[in-house]
Structure formats: C-alpha cells, structure tokens
Amino acid sequence: MEDVCAKFVSQKVSKARWRPPPAAALRPPDCFATGSWDNEDNRISIWSVGDLGSVGLNGEYQGEPQLLCDIRHNGDVMDMQFLDQERIVVASSTGDVTIFRHHQNNQTLSANQRWEKAHYHVDRGAACGGAACTGVICNNPEIVTVGEDGRINFFRADQKDAVRTIDNADSSTLHAVTFLRTTEILTVNSIGQLKIWDLRQQRNEPSQIFSLTGDRVPLHCVDRHPNQQHIVATGGQDGVLSIWDIRQGTMPVSLLNAHEAEMWEVHFHPSNPDHLFTCSEDGSLWHWDTSTSVSEKPSFLHQGGKSSTFFAHNTINQSVVSAWLSNDPTKDRMEITNLIPNQTLSVNSLDVLGPCLVYGTDAEAIYVNRHLFA
C-alpha cells in the first residue's frame, strides 16, 4: 500500500498512540508515542510524522516518522494513554504506573510521577511481588488502571496515593478498561466477562455483568462507541469481534468471526464511529466499515473460509438504529478490509485519529497511514 510508510525501530512495538490535537486544531495529528516489549531495554518513544504527506515524482510515498526523543522504561509496556498533550500514562509488566512528560521545547522525556507496584500479587513490599498492569484509561486528571491481580486503581495525576482501590474487583486477570461515561468504567477479564462499575457507589461490586456464553474465552480489549455509549465492542483470544448493547440482555448482540488468533486491540474511529479497527496476533489489521450500503461491493468477510455467527436480536425501536446493532451487520451494511494482507508477525497495537492510522508490530516496525479514507 503506497499510502503506508514504515519505520524499522529495532524493537518489538507493543503500543502506539496518537497525541491528542489541541482542542481547536483541525489539522491531522502530527505526533505519536510508542512503547516496546520483550526487549532487553524497553523504551517510550515520541515520533513526528511532519510532512509525510509528500509524494514523489512517481507517485510513491516519501518520508518516514522521525524520532523526537525516547526514554528507558522498566518492564514491558503493557498499555499507554495520553493524559494531555504533554503527559503519557504508561502501564508496566512490573506493576508500576508512570506518567512521562514530553518537554516539547527541548524534545526530551522525563518520568513525571510514578506509582510503584500499583498492581501486585501477594505482598507489595516483596522484591518480586509486582503483577502486570494490563490496562490504563485517562480522563484528565483521573487515571484508572487494571491488572493481572484483579485490582482496579483510581489515581489523580496530582496525588501521590491512589484515590481509591478495589482490591478484589475480579478473581481473574483484568485485561482492559475504558470509560463508559465520566462516572462509570467497563472492564473485561480472562473468563469472557464484561463488567460495569459505577464510581458513585462505594460498594466494591460491579453494577452489571455481561458474559460470552459457553467457553469463557478471555477478552483482551474493549472500546465503546464515542456517540452511542450503550454500544461496546470487545475482542478476545479467539479473534472474534463481539458487539454488545449494554441496555439489554447480558450477552453480545453479535459475534463476528474476524481474526485467526488473539485480537489485541479494538478501536471505534473517535469522530467517525461507523468505522472500527481491530488488530491481531495473526498479523492482520481489519477495517470494518458500516458507513454505506455495500451490497454491490466485493465482500472480504468470507475470504479464507471465515463465517459469521450471530445472536438473535430484537430490533430497537428508535429513529436511528446503529448499523452495529442490526441483526446481521455484515449482510449489506458492512465492508471489511484487511489493511495489511501480507503481514506475518503480530500486530500488537493501533490508533486512529482523523484520516490517520498508526500501528506497531512484533516485526520491529511502526507503520503510519495518513490517508485512511482516500
């Protein structure tokens, strides 16, 4: 794909995130952060994409991301989120949660604040007691983290100690967390459950529990629709994309057979949520497009002998029914494209903002597509 530019970075990339643009900015994103894993020396790096839009004489894509600065990170980078334009919250396999500040005046990174062993198995004081912090979500100044220890932590960027901790939130590993609204979070765990936690309640139990039927397949990732907060997407160990309507029932509205291995991330496009993106251990990155009726277009869904299974679903009586909640979203409302057909190693992370996509892989490379909707 001529619109994609690659940068080889000599590190397995576990996370890639666009820096949020200033509130009034209309221009596409120009900067992103990456974190690495499974290397002797893991790093947080900030990259500029600058003028990557230039095209050479023969129509080929020019330029590649430029490294602005990087800093060593203790442990594998399990998750990372921008808190604001300067600060990034990073979750570590050691159980630490660190805020790094990007100093744009001299292009350096520094550790701004650290909660050591925010997640731990037995004894926080033990030399090797840390449990991986698997997920982090931010709503500045609030930070929520989840971990292998089944713990949920609530931090504030300006406070040294946790604001609140739910110690035994889950008996299994919590893999990911997201805000449903400012007072509610969603978590997914390793036995196929999605749980809602109401932060206004002092009780340490979820307000709702949803679960995949049958095999208790671990769920690895979760995202909610940016405009219709009752619509939630999750991905799991079996590569299946699950769409949930949390207003009704306790099971997914639809299960879409997608990847042939673990799905690592799922993201609705933040400003164009008819588009959704998923990436997988099988080396694929899929773009799910429900924006138009695509019955005339070639379908990519059934390539490779894939099929789709769905739960029956009562059509919701509302003026606009999201395509994500239709009985069979693939029938004539969805086009699915694998954006990297020849990739072999795991695609660990992706992020979308405006017309731009960034993703990181175990092939020790980061890739940027500046023309997603061209």
Side-chain angles (χ1 to χ4, degrees):
M1 291 188 52
E2 63 283 353
D3 281 345
V4 176
C5 77
K7 173 82 173 179
F8 292 94
V9 294
S10 305
Q11 295 205 317
K12 291 181 181 177
V13 179
S14 57
K15 292 292 159 187
R17 298 285 182 254
W18 289 113
R19 182 175 71 191
L26 293 173
R27 61 176 191 271
D30 59 359
C31 192
F32 64 91
T34 59
S36 68
W37 81 289
D38 197 26
N39 305 288
E40 282 184 25
D41 184 15
N42 289 307
R43 305 194 82 73
I44 305 294
S45 308
I46 305 284
W47 306 86
S48 165
V49 290
D51 300 320
L52 286 185
S54 58
V55 176
L57 294 173
N58 301 323
E60 80 280 8
Y61 208 54
Q62 287 191 325
E64 59 179 28
Q66 298 298 313
L67 180 66
L68 296 177
C69 52
D70 65 355
I71 191 170
R72 192 165 181 274
H73 179 263
N74 188 22
D76 293 340
V77 174
M78 303 294 288
D79 199 6
M80 59 193 293
Q81 299 287 337
F82 275 91
L83 184 66
D84 52 31
Q85 285 202 279
E86 292 186 341
R87 292 177 294 175
I88 313 163
V89 184
V90 181
S92 172
S93 59
T94 64
D96 293 359
V97 178
T98 308
I99 302 179
F100 291 94
R101 185 181 287 274
H102 175 209
H103 306 275
Q104 297 177 42
N105 54 348
N106 61 358
Q107 294 303 346
T108 57
L109 273 166
S110 65
N112 185 236
Q113 190 166 350
R114 178 172 293 133
W115 294 280
E116 292 189 7
K117 288 193 187 162
H119 293 272
Y120 56 93
H121 281 304
V122 185
D123 176 12
R124 195 173 195 164
C128 56
C133 177
T134 49
V136 59
I137 192 73
C138 304
N139 183 16
N140 191 10
E142 296 170 338
I143 298 162
V144 183
T145 69
V146 296
E148 250 175 31
D149 53 358
R151 223 175 236 101
I152 303 175
N153 286 310
F154 302 90
F155 297 108
R156 285 180 70 94
D158 49 359
Q159 293 185 17
K160 195 173 71 163
D161 297 315
V163 176
R164 180 180 174 190
T165 294
I166 303 179
D167 270 328
N168 299 304
D170 212 300
S171 57
S172 60
T173 295
L174 289 168
H175 280 141
V177 59
T178 192
F179 276 102
L180 189 56
R181 42 186 71 83
T182 51
T183 57
E184 288 181 312
I185 58 167
L186 281 170
T187 59
V188 294
N189 69 13
S190 60
I191 55 171
Q193 292 175 323
L194 190 155
K195 297 183 181 182
I196 298 178
W197 305 80
D198 187 337
L199 307 184
R200 293 163 298 191
Q201 304 285 339
Q202 284 309 303
R203 294 183 306 117
N204 289 344
E205 276 98 38
S207 55
Q208 281 178 278
I209 301 178
F210 303 80
S211 58
L212 295 171
T213 53
D215 295 340
R216 295 195 160 199
V217 175
L219 291 172
H220 289 310
C221 51
V222 60
D223 197 22
R224 70 150 171 79
H225 192 290
N227 309 332
Q228 296 174 287
Q229 289 160 329
H230 55 278
I231 301 175
V232 173
T234 63
Q237 186 170 294
D238 54 3
V240 170
L241 172 65
S242 305
I243 305 294
W244 311 70
D245 181 349
I246 60 167
R247 298 171 306 181
Q248 54 176 28
T250 57
M251 300 191 319
V253 172
S254 58
L255 293 175
L256 298 158
N257 278 345
H259 303 280
E260 291 167 3
E262 290 95 335
M263 186 189 297
W264 292 131
E265 289 198 350
V266 55
H267 290 291
F268 285 101
H269 191 287
S271 55
N272 199 349
D274 285 343
H275 298 265
L276 179 135
F277 299 83
T278 59
C279 63
S280 169
E281 177 77 23
D282 68 7
S284 60
L285 192 159
W286 285 27
H287 174 192
W288 308 68
D289 178 3
T290 63
S291 60
T292 52
S293 176
V294 293
S295 49
E296 312 81 43
K297 297 183 185 178
S299 170
F300 293 90
L301 184 71
H302 297 292
Q303 280 190 0
K306 295 188 178 70
S307 61
S308 301
T309 48
F310 302 91
F311 287 115
H313 168 63
N314 300 325
T315 305
I316 298 145
N317 190 9
Q318 63 188 81
S319 54
V320 181
V321 174
S322 167
W324 295 111
L325 296 184
S326 69
N327 276 341
D328 183 345
T330 57
K331 194 172 287 173
D332 59 0
R333 299 287 300 275
M334 188 185 290
E335 181 179 20
I336 302 159
T337 314
N338 183 5
L339 298 181
I340 37 175
N342 300 319
Q343 171 75 17
T344 53
L345 295 175
S346 178
V347 182
N348 298 321
S349 181
L350 71 96
D351 199 18
V352 281
L353 191 59
C356 302
L357 165 74
V358 61
Y359 57 96
T361 72
D362 273 355
E364 302 195 346
I366 46 179
Y367 300 83
V368 177
N369 180 342
R370 295 286 294 266
H371 304 287
L372 257 187
F373 303 114

